Amino acid sequence: DGGITQSPKYLFRKEGQNVTLSCEQNLNHDAMYWYRQDPGQGLRLIYYSQIVNDFQKGDIAEGYSVSREKKESFPLTVTSAQKNPTAFYLCASSETQGMNTEAFFGQGTRLTVV
Amino acid sequence: KQEVTQIPAALSVPEGENLVLNCSFTDSAIYNLQWFRQDPGKGLTSLLLIQSSQREQTSGRLNASLDKSSGRSTLYIAASQPGDSATYLCAVRYNFNKFYFGSGTKLNVKP
């Protein structure tokens, strides 16, 4: 069953901790993305990767880090430098070739600072 | 900077009504536009993808149109049902790298 799997569904972070959100896809897509969603706002791009071992900052990359060591995996680390990390995090993937490049999303991880 | 705007932010209609959701974008040089549905606390489900060369796409009771020259797309939902209640988001793709999202329209279909 093809798709994108995000884990965990809920995550709690103490002040000063780093936490890592998992994103795995079996769609054989080259591109993967991380978005942040806050109540009443649209999705904002954190990082994206077009190919293994390469990634670029999005619009709100400060306080976050990523890696892309395998095509199917794109984990996001929320570091202690991120001052307001409580949000809903969404991972997506898509093809990079051609015009018909539909994006697919995971079910999200809700991160709460306690 | 590319901006995507969705109007209205919220919409409440009685069951059975036909409705239109709007999406506008500032830069008309798009690659494609995608409409999504999001249920509370869930991820995004793709509804329709319109390529830049297309004028519309249809899936069941949904029809999405695209007018690049005016920077607009509409999502038409026919014969709305309570199960259609959700937030609808449009996303514009300008290159192979990034999608730009609107803030969404929260739809409530009353029984």
Side-chain angles (χ1 to χ4, degrees):
Chain A
D1 198 17
I4 299 178
T5 302
Q6 290 187 240
S7 62
K9 187 173 181 179
Y10 299 97
L11 187 58
F12 298 90
R13 192 194 93 167
K14 293 182 179 179
E15 296 280 354
Q17 269 187 341
N18 292 353
V19 292
T20 298
L21 285 61
S22 171
C23 178
E24 302 277 333
Q25 55 101 357
N26 60 4
L27 300 168
N28 201 34
H29 286 163
D30 285 315
M32 296 187 75
Y33 310 80
W34 274 106
Y35 287 90
R36 169 179 172 144
Q37 187 177 34
D38 294 283
Q41 297 191 33
L43 278 67
R44 292 184 290 169
L45 182 63
I46 304 173
Y47 269 98
Y48 63 101
S49 168
Q50 297 182 75
I51 197 169
V52 174
N53 292 323
D54 184 60
F55 48 83
Q56 289 80 39
K57 293 182 179 180
D59 301 317
I60 56 166
E62 185 175 352
Y64 300 97
S65 66
V66 294
S67 63
R68 187 84 187 276
E69 297 177 1
K70 298 186 295 182
K71 186 176 185 178
E72 59 269 24
S73 179
F74 192 41
L76 173 73
T77 296
V78 184
T79 74
S80 56
Q82 170 51 239
K83 299 306 179 186
N84 185 23
T86 295
F88 190 51
Y89 292 85
L90 288 158
C91 178
S93 73
S94 76
E95 294 287 356
T96 57
Q97 299 296 321
M99 304 291 273
N100 194 10
T101 50
E102 186 175 7
F104 294 88
F105 279 79
Q107 287 301 299
T109 293
R110 185 165 299 281
L111 174 63
T112 303
V113 174
V114 296
Chain B
K1 179 182 177 182
Q2 289 87 355
E3 293 185 0
V4 181
T5 304
Q6 290 188 247
I7 295 174
L11 183 63
S12 184
V13 300
E15 181 177 5
E17 194 164 293
N18 301 327
L19 57 100
V20 174
L21 307 181
N22 297 292
C23 173
S24 61
F25 43 93
T26 53
D27 186 343
S28 61
I30 70 171
Y31 278 85
N32 58 44
L33 184 146
Q34 197 168 351
W35 282 93
F36 293 90
R37 169 187 172 134
Q38 185 177 30
D39 293 291
K42 303 293 186 182
L44 276 63
T45 300
S46 180
L47 298 174
L48 289 164
L49 172 72
I50 308 179
Q51 298 181 39
S52 62
S53 59
Q54 296 177 319
R55 297 283 295 182
E56 65 179 287
Q57 279 281 8
T58 298
S59 176
R61 294 183 293 109
L62 305 179
N63 176 276
S65 67
L66 175 64
D67 184 344
K68 285 197 305 178
S69 61
S70 66
R72 294 182 62 184
S73 176
T74 61
L75 179 66
Y76 175 83
I77 302 177
S80 59
Q81 303 170 358
D84 294 330
S85 298
T87 297
Y88 291 80
L89 296 144
C90 69
V92 180
R93 191 169 202 173
Y94 286 101
N95 53 38
F96 295 132
N97 306 332
K98 298 180 183 180
F99 300 85
Y100 290 85
F101 282 84
S103 297
T105 293
K106 187 173 183 179
L107 174 65
N108 178 36
V109 181
K110 299 173 289 185

